[in-house]
Amino acid sequence: MNDILILIAFTIMGYSMRVFGLNPAVFIIGFILTPFLEQNLDQALAIVGTDYHLFFASPFSWVFIALSAFFVYSSIRMRNKAARAPQEKAV
């Protein structure tokens, strides 16, 4: 019975994601990768202790911060461009 309830819960969640225009693939990837992220973040915090500035001390970390910022910016820009496209066609 628990398997059926889990199936129903994920079906409702998947349908509601489609209704709100969210991509279910992103949720699945996040659902799979979150435990690895949590484990590695916990390990990194144990290594650095209270010196949080060490997360930003290496050029390697700055590259990943810059890439993350770029992808967030490009995602927002593409969403805004897609929202404006139907309005410009109507004019």
Side-chain angles (χ1 to χ4, degrees):
M1 189 65 186
N2 287 340
D3 291 339
I4 294 173
L5 292 175
I6 291 172
L7 175 71
I8 292 170
F10 275 99
T11 302
I12 291 170
M13 188 173 60
Y15 178 74
S16 62
M17 288 176 75
R18 283 211 178 201
V19 168
F20 290 113
L22 300 173
N23 189 354
V26 175
F27 173 76
I28 292 171
I29 291 171
F31 190 74
I32 293 170
L33 293 180
T34 299
F36 298 117
L37 172 72
E38 186 177 345
Q39 180 183 8
N40 289 327
L41 181 63
D42 190 34
Q43 183 179 8
L45 288 173
I47 290 171
V48 299
T50 58
D51 298 329
Y52 298 118
H53 66 87
L54 293 176
F55 283 124
F56 309 106
S58 130
F60 190 68
S61 65
W62 282 107
V63 168
F64 279 108
I65 290 170
L67 284 172
S68 298
F70 171 73
F71 286 127
V72 168
Y73 171 74
S74 66
S75 174
I76 292 171
R77 186 171 177 221
M78 286 177 58
R79 184 172 289 212
N80 288 341
K81 187 183 281 188
R84 270 189 266 131
Q87 293 173 357
E88 290 176 358
K89 287 182 180 180
V91 174

PDB file of all heavy atoms in Angstrom, residues 18-47:
ATOM      1  N   ARG A  18       3.771  20.397 -14.034  1.00  0.00           N
ATOM      2  CA  ARG A  18       3.406  20.725 -15.422  1.00  0.00           C
ATOM      3  C   ARG A  18       2.437  21.894 -15.481  1.00  0.00           C
ATOM      4  O   ARG A  18       2.530  22.742 -16.354  1.00  0.00           O
ATOM      5  CB  ARG A  18       2.789  19.520 -16.098  1.00  0.00           C
ATOM      6  CG  ARG A  18       3.813  18.541 -16.492  1.00  0.00           C
ATOM      7  CD  ARG A  18       3.375  17.840 -17.700  1.00  0.00           C
ATOM      8  NE  ARG A  18       4.454  16.940 -18.062  1.00  0.00           N
ATOM      9  CZ  ARG A  18       4.603  16.461 -19.245  1.00  0.00           C
ATOM     10  NH1 ARG A  18       3.749  16.759 -20.170  1.00  0.00           N
ATOM     11  NH2 ARG A  18       5.611  15.677 -19.514  1.00  0.00           N
ATOM     12  N   VAL A  19       1.482  21.922 -14.545  1.00  0.00           N
ATOM     13  CA  VAL A  19       0.497  23.010 -14.522  1.00  0.00           C
ATOM     14  C   VAL A  19       1.191  24.346 -14.289  1.00  0.00           C
ATOM     15  O   VAL A  19       0.855  25.345 -14.924  1.00  0.00           O
ATOM     16  CB  VAL A  19      -0.572  22.742 -13.435  1.00  0.00           C
ATOM     17  CG1 VAL A  19      -1.420  23.957 -13.180  1.00  0.00           C
ATOM     18  CG2 VAL A  19      -1.446  21.563 -13.834  1.00  0.00           C
ATOM     19  N   PHE A  20       2.174  24.373 -13.398  1.00  0.00           N
ATOM     20  CA  PHE A  20       2.874  25.619 -13.091  1.00  0.00           C
ATOM     21  C   PHE A  20       4.023  25.909 -14.044  1.00  0.00           C
ATOM     22  O   PHE A  20       4.714  26.913 -13.911  1.00  0.00           O
ATOM     23  CB  PHE A  20       3.384  25.616 -11.652  1.00  0.00           C
ATOM     24  CG  PHE A  20       2.287  25.704 -10.639  1.00  0.00           C
ATOM     25  CD1 PHE A  20       2.018  24.638  -9.803  1.00  0.00           C
ATOM     26  CD2 PHE A  20       1.512  26.842 -10.533  1.00  0.00           C
ATOM     27  CE1 PHE A  20       1.011  24.705  -8.874  1.00  0.00           C
ATOM     28  CE2 PHE A  20       0.499  26.919  -9.617  1.00  0.00           C
ATOM     29  CZ  PHE A  20       0.240  25.846  -8.776  1.00  0.00           C
ATOM     30  N   GLY A  21       4.266  25.036 -15.014  1.00  0.00           N
ATOM     31  CA  GLY A  21       5.294  25.281 -16.022  1.00  0.00           C
ATOM     32  C   GLY A  21       6.706  24.956 -15.573  1.00  0.00           C
ATOM     33  O   GLY A  21       7.664  25.499 -16.120  1.00  0.00           O
ATOM     34  N   LEU A  22       6.854  24.096 -14.578  1.00  0.00           N
ATOM     35  CA  LEU A  22       8.177  23.708 -14.111  1.00  0.00           C
ATOM     36  C   LEU A  22       8.634  22.448 -14.835  1.00  0.00           C
ATOM     37  O   LEU A  22       7.825  21.615 -15.227  1.00  0.00           O
ATOM     38  CB  LEU A  22       8.147  23.450 -12.600  1.00  0.00           C
ATOM     39  CG  LEU A  22       7.730  24.638 -11.740  1.00  0.00           C
ATOM     40  CD1 LEU A  22       7.584  24.211 -10.296  1.00  0.00           C
ATOM     41  CD2 LEU A  22       8.739  25.754 -11.864  1.00  0.00           C
ATOM     42  N   ASN A  23       9.933  22.300 -14.994  1.00  0.00           N
ATOM     43  CA  ASN A  23      10.485  21.160 -15.693  1.00  0.00           C
ATOM     44  C   ASN A  23      10.704  20.013 -14.712  1.00  0.00           C
ATOM     45  O   ASN A  23      11.516  20.133 -13.797  1.00  0.00           O
ATOM     46  CB  ASN A  23      11.807  21.556 -16.353  1.00  0.00           C
ATOM     47  CG  ASN A  23      12.332  20.500 -17.275  1.00  0.00           C
ATOM     48  OD1 ASN A  23      11.780  19.407 -17.367  1.00  0.00           O
ATOM     49  ND2 ASN A  23      13.406  20.827 -17.966  1.00  0.00           N
ATOM     50  N   PRO A  24      10.010  18.884 -14.876  1.00  0.00           N
ATOM     51  CA  PRO A  24      10.188  17.766 -13.940  1.00  0.00           C
ATOM     52  C   PRO A  24      11.586  17.150 -13.985  1.00  0.00           C
ATOM     53  O   PRO A  24      12.040  16.594 -13.001  1.00  0.00           O
ATOM     54  CB  PRO A  24       9.150  16.741 -14.389  1.00  0.00           C
ATOM     55  CG  PRO A  24       8.209  17.460 -15.270  1.00  0.00           C
ATOM     56  CD  PRO A  24       8.948  18.631 -15.830  1.00  0.00           C
ATOM     57  N   ALA A  25      12.292  17.250 -15.102  1.00  0.00           N
ATOM     58  CA  ALA A  25      13.632  16.675 -15.197  1.00  0.00           C
ATOM     59  C   ALA A  25      14.593  17.355 -14.225  1.00  0.00           C
ATOM     60  O   ALA A  25      15.453  16.689 -13.623  1.00  0.00           O
ATOM     61  CB  ALA A  25      14.148  16.788 -16.627  1.00  0.00           C
ATOM     62  N   VAL A  26      14.450  18.649 -14.041  1.00  0.00           N
ATOM     63  CA  VAL A  26      15.311  19.374 -13.116  1.00  0.00           C
ATOM     64  C   VAL A  26      15.071  18.880 -11.687  1.00  0.00           C
ATOM     65  O   VAL A  26      16.009  18.700 -10.904  1.00  0.00           O
ATOM     66  CB  VAL A  26      15.068  20.894 -13.227  1.00  0.00           C
ATOM     67  CG1 VAL A  26      15.851  21.655 -12.188  1.00  0.00           C
ATOM     68  CG2 VAL A  26      15.410  21.377 -14.622  1.00  0.00           C
ATOM     69  N   PHE A  27      13.816  18.631 -11.355  1.00  0.00           N
ATOM     70  CA  PHE A  27      13.497  18.116 -10.024  1.00  0.00           C
ATOM     71  C   PHE A  27      14.117  16.741  -9.811  1.00  0.00           C
ATOM     72  O   PHE A  27      14.674  16.458  -8.755  1.00  0.00           O
ATOM     73  CB  PHE A  27      11.980  18.043  -9.834  1.00  0.00           C
ATOM     74  CG  PHE A  27      11.586  17.379  -8.555  1.00  0.00           C
ATOM     75  CD1 PHE A  27      11.694  18.055  -7.350  1.00  0.00           C
ATOM     76  CD2 PHE A  27      11.143  16.076  -8.545  1.00  0.00           C
ATOM     77  CE1 PHE A  27      11.352  17.437  -6.163  1.00  0.00           C
ATOM     78  CE2 PHE A  27      10.788  15.451  -7.370  1.00  0.00           C
ATOM     79  CZ  PHE A  27      10.895  16.138  -6.171  1.00  0.00           C
ATOM     80  N   ILE A  28      14.050  15.881 -10.805  1.00  0.00           N
ATOM     81  CA  ILE A  28      14.594  14.529 -10.668  1.00  0.00           C
ATOM     82  C   ILE A  28      16.113  14.583 -10.495  1.00  0.00           C
ATOM     83  O   ILE A  28      16.674  13.883  -9.649  1.00  0.00           O
ATOM     84  CB  ILE A  28      14.196  13.674 -11.884  1.00  0.00           C
ATOM     85  CG1 ILE A  28      12.692  13.430 -11.872  1.00  0.00           C
ATOM     86  CG2 ILE A  28      14.956  12.360 -11.905  1.00  0.00           C
ATOM     87  CD1 ILE A  28      12.153  12.798 -13.125  1.00  0.00           C
ATOM     88  N   ILE A  29      16.781  15.416 -11.273  1.00  0.00           N
ATOM     89  CA  ILE A  29      18.233  15.548 -11.140  1.00  0.00           C
ATOM     90  C   ILE A  29      18.590  16.090  -9.763  1.00  0.00           C
ATOM     91  O   ILE A  29      19.505  15.595  -9.103  1.00  0.00           O
ATOM     92  CB  ILE A  29      18.801  16.438 -12.262  1.00  0.00           C
ATOM     93  CG1 ILE A  29      18.677  15.723 -13.599  1.00  0.00           C
ATOM     94  CG2 ILE A  29      20.254  16.813 -11.976  1.00  0.00           C
ATOM     95  CD1 ILE A  29      19.015  16.582 -14.784  1.00  0.00           C
ATOM     96  N   GLY A  30      17.864  17.087  -9.309  1.00  0.00           N
ATOM     97  CA  GLY A  30      18.097  17.628  -7.969  1.00  0.00           C
ATOM     98  C   GLY A  30      17.823  16.617  -6.883  1.00  0.00           C
ATOM     99  O   GLY A  30      18.540  16.529  -5.883  1.00  0.00           O
ATOM    100  N   PHE A  31      16.777  15.816  -7.055  1.00  0.00           N
ATOM    101  CA  PHE A  31      16.420  14.791  -6.078  1.00  0.00           C
ATOM    102  C   PHE A  31      17.522  13.739  -5.970  1.00  0.00           C
ATOM    103  O   PHE A  31      17.819  13.236  -4.884  1.00  0.00           O
ATOM    104  CB  PHE A  31      15.096  14.140  -6.491  1.00  0.00           C
ATOM    105  CG  PHE A  31      14.495  13.246  -5.467  1.00  0.00           C
ATOM    106  CD1 PHE A  31      13.893  13.770  -4.341  1.00  0.00           C
ATOM    107  CD2 PHE A  31      14.529  11.877  -5.627  1.00  0.00           C
ATOM    108  CE1 PHE A  31      13.328  12.949  -3.392  1.00  0.00           C
ATOM    109  CE2 PHE A  31      13.966  11.037  -4.688  1.00  0.00           C
ATOM    110  CZ  PHE A  31      13.363  11.575  -3.557  1.00  0.00           C
ATOM    111  N   ILE A  32      18.172  13.423  -7.073  1.00  0.00           N
ATOM    112  CA  ILE A  32      19.242  12.423  -7.072  1.00  0.00           C
ATOM    113  C   ILE A  32      20.538  13.007  -6.520  1.00  0.00           C
ATOM    114  O   ILE A  32      21.258  12.358  -5.761  1.00  0.00           O
ATOM    115  CB  ILE A  32      19.454  11.867  -8.494  1.00  0.00           C
ATOM    116  CG1 ILE A  32      18.222  11.062  -8.915  1.00  0.00           C
ATOM    117  CG2 ILE A  32      20.715  11.024  -8.579  1.00  0.00           C
ATOM    118  CD1 ILE A  32      18.220  10.669 -10.372  1.00  0.00           C
ATOM    119  N   LEU A  33      20.867  14.245  -6.879  1.00  0.00           N
ATOM    120  CA  LEU A  33      22.164  14.823  -6.513  1.00  0.00           C
ATOM    121  C   LEU A  33      22.199  15.475  -5.131  1.00  0.00           C
ATOM    122  O   LEU A  33      23.284  15.709  -4.593  1.00  0.00           O
ATOM    123  CB  LEU A  33      22.589  15.844  -7.562  1.00  0.00           C
ATOM    124  CG  LEU A  33      22.906  15.282  -8.939  1.00  0.00           C
ATOM    125  CD1 LEU A  33      23.303  16.405  -9.873  1.00  0.00           C
ATOM    126  CD2 LEU A  33      23.997  14.240  -8.868  1.00  0.00           C
ATOM    127  N   THR A  34      21.052  15.767  -4.530  1.00  0.00           N
ATOM    128  CA  THR A  34      21.027  16.457  -3.248  1.00  0.00           C
ATOM    129  C   THR A  34      21.752  15.706  -2.137  1.00  0.00           C
ATOM    130  O   THR A  34      22.501  16.329  -1.373  1.00  0.00           O
ATOM    131  CB  THR A  34      19.587  16.786  -2.847  1.00  0.00           C
ATOM    132  OG1 THR A  34      19.031  17.650  -3.829  1.00  0.00           O
ATOM    133  CG2 THR A  34      19.520  17.471  -1.497  1.00  0.00           C
ATOM    134  N   PRO A  35      21.590  14.388  -1.986  1.00  0.00           N
ATOM    135  CA  PRO A  35      22.346  13.708  -0.916  1.00  0.00           C
ATOM    136  C   PRO A  35      23.860  13.826  -1.081  1.00  0.00           C
ATOM    137  O   PRO A  35      24.594  13.982  -0.094  1.00  0.00           O
ATOM    138  CB  PRO A  35      21.909  12.249  -1.024  1.00  0.00           C
ATOM    139  CG  PRO A  35      20.601  12.288  -1.713  1.00  0.00           C
ATOM    140  CD  PRO A  35      20.652  13.470  -2.618  1.00  0.00           C
ATOM    141  N   PHE A  36      24.348  13.787  -2.319  1.00  0.00           N
ATOM    142  CA  PHE A  36      25.791  13.939  -2.555  1.00  0.00           C
ATOM    143  C   PHE A  36      26.247  15.347  -2.188  1.00  0.00           C
ATOM    144  O   PHE A  36      27.313  15.525  -1.589  1.00  0.00           O
ATOM    145  CB  PHE A  36      26.139  13.640  -4.010  1.00  0.00           C
ATOM    146  CG  PHE A  36      25.817  12.239  -4.432  1.00  0.00           C
ATOM    147  CD1 PHE A  36      24.881  12.009  -5.419  1.00  0.00           C
ATOM    148  CD2 PHE A  36      26.436  11.153  -3.836  1.00  0.00           C
ATOM    149  CE1 PHE A  36      24.569  10.725  -5.810  1.00  0.00           C
ATOM    150  CE2 PHE A  36      26.139   9.869  -4.219  1.00  0.00           C
ATOM    151  CZ  PHE A  36      25.194   9.645  -5.206  1.00  0.00           C
ATOM    152  N   LEU A  37      25.447  16.346  -2.546  1.00  0.00           N
ATOM    153  CA  LEU A  37      25.782  17.725  -2.206  1.00  0.00           C
ATOM    154  C   LEU A  37      25.815  17.913  -0.701  1.00  0.00           C
ATOM    155  O   LEU A  37      26.742  18.525  -0.163  1.00  0.00           O
ATOM    156  CB  LEU A  37      24.762  18.683  -2.835  1.00  0.00           C
ATOM    157  CG  LEU A  37      24.875  20.136  -2.411  1.00  0.00           C
ATOM    158  CD1 LEU A  37      26.110  20.757  -3.051  1.00  0.00           C
ATOM    159  CD2 LEU A  37      23.639  20.897  -2.790  1.00  0.00           C
ATOM    160  N   GLU A  38      24.827  17.368  -0.013  1.00  0.00           N
ATOM    161  CA  GLU A  38      24.768  17.507   1.437  1.00  0.00           C
ATOM    162  C   GLU A  38      25.961  16.836   2.113  1.00  0.00           C
ATOM    163  O   GLU A  38      26.567  17.401   3.024  1.00  0.00           O
ATOM    164  CB  GLU A  38      23.459  16.896   1.942  1.00  0.00           C
ATOM    165  CG  GLU A  38      23.221  17.103   3.411  1.00  0.00           C
ATOM    166  CD  GLU A  38      21.882  16.552   3.839  1.00  0.00           C
ATOM    167  OE1 GLU A  38      21.030  16.269   2.985  1.00  0.00           O
ATOM    168  OE2 GLU A  38      21.699  16.396   5.056  1.00  0.00           O
ATOM    169  N   GLN A  39      26.326  15.659   1.660  1.00  0.00           N
ATOM    170  CA  GLN A  39      27.452  14.941   2.239  1.00  0.00           C
ATOM    171  C   GLN A  39      28.764  15.701   2.007  1.00  0.00           C
ATOM    172  O   GLN A  39      29.573  15.867   2.930  1.00  0.00           O
ATOM    173  CB  GLN A  39      27.544  13.551   1.641  1.00  0.00           C
ATOM    174  CG  GLN A  39      28.692  12.725   2.174  1.00  0.00           C
ATOM    175  CD  GLN A  39      28.774  11.369   1.478  1.00  0.00           C
ATOM    176  OE1 GLN A  39      28.073  11.121   0.511  1.00  0.00           O
ATOM    177  NE2 GLN A  39      29.647  10.517   1.976  1.00  0.00           N
ATOM    178  N   ASN A  40      28.975  16.192   0.803  1.00  0.00           N
ATOM    179  CA  ASN A  40      30.219  16.901   0.495  1.00  0.00           C
ATOM    180  C   ASN A  40      30.287  18.256   1.180  1.00  0.00           C
ATOM    181  O   ASN A  40      31.369  18.692   1.595  1.00  0.00           O
ATOM    182  CB  ASN A  40      30.377  17.053  -1.011  1.00  0.00           C
ATOM    183  CG  ASN A  40      30.689  15.732  -1.677  1.00  0.00           C
ATOM    184  OD1 ASN A  40      31.359  14.884  -1.099  1.00  0.00           O
ATOM    185  ND2 ASN A  40      30.202  15.547  -2.883  1.00  0.00           N
ATOM    186  N   LEU A  41      29.156  18.945   1.311  1.00  0.00           N
ATOM    187  CA  LEU A  41      29.151  20.221   2.021  1.00  0.00           C
ATOM    188  C   LEU A  41      29.455  20.011   3.494  1.00  0.00           C
ATOM    189  O   LEU A  41      30.213  20.785   4.099  1.00  0.00           O
ATOM    190  CB  LEU A  41      27.816  20.934   1.844  1.00  0.00           C
ATOM    191  CG  LEU A  41      27.687  22.292   2.515  1.00  0.00           C
ATOM    192  CD1 LEU A  41      28.691  23.268   1.918  1.00  0.00           C
ATOM    193  CD2 LEU A  41      26.283  22.826   2.385  1.00  0.00           C
ATOM    194  N   ASP A  42      28.897  18.971   4.076  1.00  0.00           N
ATOM    195  CA  ASP A  42      29.173  18.664   5.472  1.00  0.00           C
ATOM    196  C   ASP A  42      30.651  18.345   5.677  1.00  0.00           C
ATOM    197  O   ASP A  42      31.270  18.793   6.642  1.00  0.00           O
ATOM    198  CB  ASP A  42      28.303  17.490   5.919  1.00  0.00           C
ATOM    199  CG  ASP A  42      28.348  17.262   7.410  1.00  0.00           C
ATOM    200  OD1 ASP A  42      28.457  18.263   8.149  1.00  0.00           O
ATOM    201  OD2 ASP A  42      28.273  16.098   7.835  1.00  0.00           O
ATOM    202  N   GLN A  43      31.231  17.599   4.746  1.00  0.00           N
ATOM    203  CA  GLN A  43      32.648  17.271   4.830  1.00  0.00           C
ATOM    204  C   GLN A  43      33.507  18.530   4.670  1.00  0.00           C
ATOM    205  O   GLN A  43      34.486  18.713   5.401  1.00  0.00           O
ATOM    206  CB  GLN A  43      32.996  16.258   3.753  1.00  0.00           C
ATOM    207  CG  GLN A  43      34.420  15.785   3.797  1.00  0.00           C
ATOM    208  CD  GLN A  43      34.709  14.755   2.698  1.00  0.00           C
ATOM    209  OE1 GLN A  43      33.876  14.524   1.831  1.00  0.00           O
ATOM    210  NE2 GLN A  43      35.872  14.158   2.753  1.00  0.00           N
ATOM    211  N   ALA A  44      33.138  19.395   3.748  1.00  0.00           N
ATOM    212  CA  ALA A  44      33.910  20.626   3.543  1.00  0.00           C
ATOM    213  C   ALA A  44      33.830  21.540   4.761  1.00  0.00           C
ATOM    214  O   ALA A  44      34.828  22.150   5.154  1.00  0.00           O
ATOM    215  CB  ALA A  44      33.399  21.362   2.307  1.00  0.00           C
ATOM    216  N   LEU A  45      32.649  21.626   5.377  1.00  0.00           N
ATOM    217  CA  LEU A  45      32.517  22.453   6.575  1.00  0.00           C
ATOM    218  C   LEU A  45      33.322  21.876   7.737  1.00  0.00           C
ATOM    219  O   LEU A  45      33.852  22.622   8.560  1.00  0.00           O
ATOM    220  CB  LEU A  45      31.045  22.592   6.965  1.00  0.00           C
ATOM    221  CG  LEU A  45      30.207  23.478   6.055  1.00  0.00           C
ATOM    222  CD1 LEU A  45      28.743  23.404   6.436  1.00  0.00           C
ATOM    223  CD2 LEU A  45      30.695  24.907   6.095  1.00  0.00           C
ATOM    224  N   ALA A  46      33.425  20.551   7.809  1.00  0.00           N
ATOM    225  CA  ALA A  46      34.240  19.935   8.855  1.00  0.00           C
ATOM    226  C   ALA A  46      35.720  20.228   8.629  1.00  0.00           C
ATOM    227  O   ALA A  46      36.481  20.390   9.593  1.00  0.00           O
ATOM    228  CB  ALA A  46      33.995  18.434   8.888  1.00  0.00           C
ATOM    229  N   ILE A  47      36.129  20.319   7.387  1.00  0.00           N
ATOM    230  CA  ILE A  47      37.544  20.582   7.086  1.00  0.00           C
ATOM    231  C   ILE A  47      37.910  22.028   7.400  1.00  0.00           C
ATOM    232  O   ILE A  47      38.937  22.296   8.025  1.00  0.00           O
ATOM    233  CB  ILE A  47      37.852  20.255   5.611  1.00  0.00           C
ATOM    234  CG1 ILE A  47      37.789  18.740   5.392  1.00  0.00           C
ATOM    235  CG2 ILE A  47      39.210  20.793   5.198  1.00  0.00           C
ATOM    236  CD1 ILE A  47      37.863  18.337   3.940  1.00  0.00           C
TER     237      ILE A  47
END
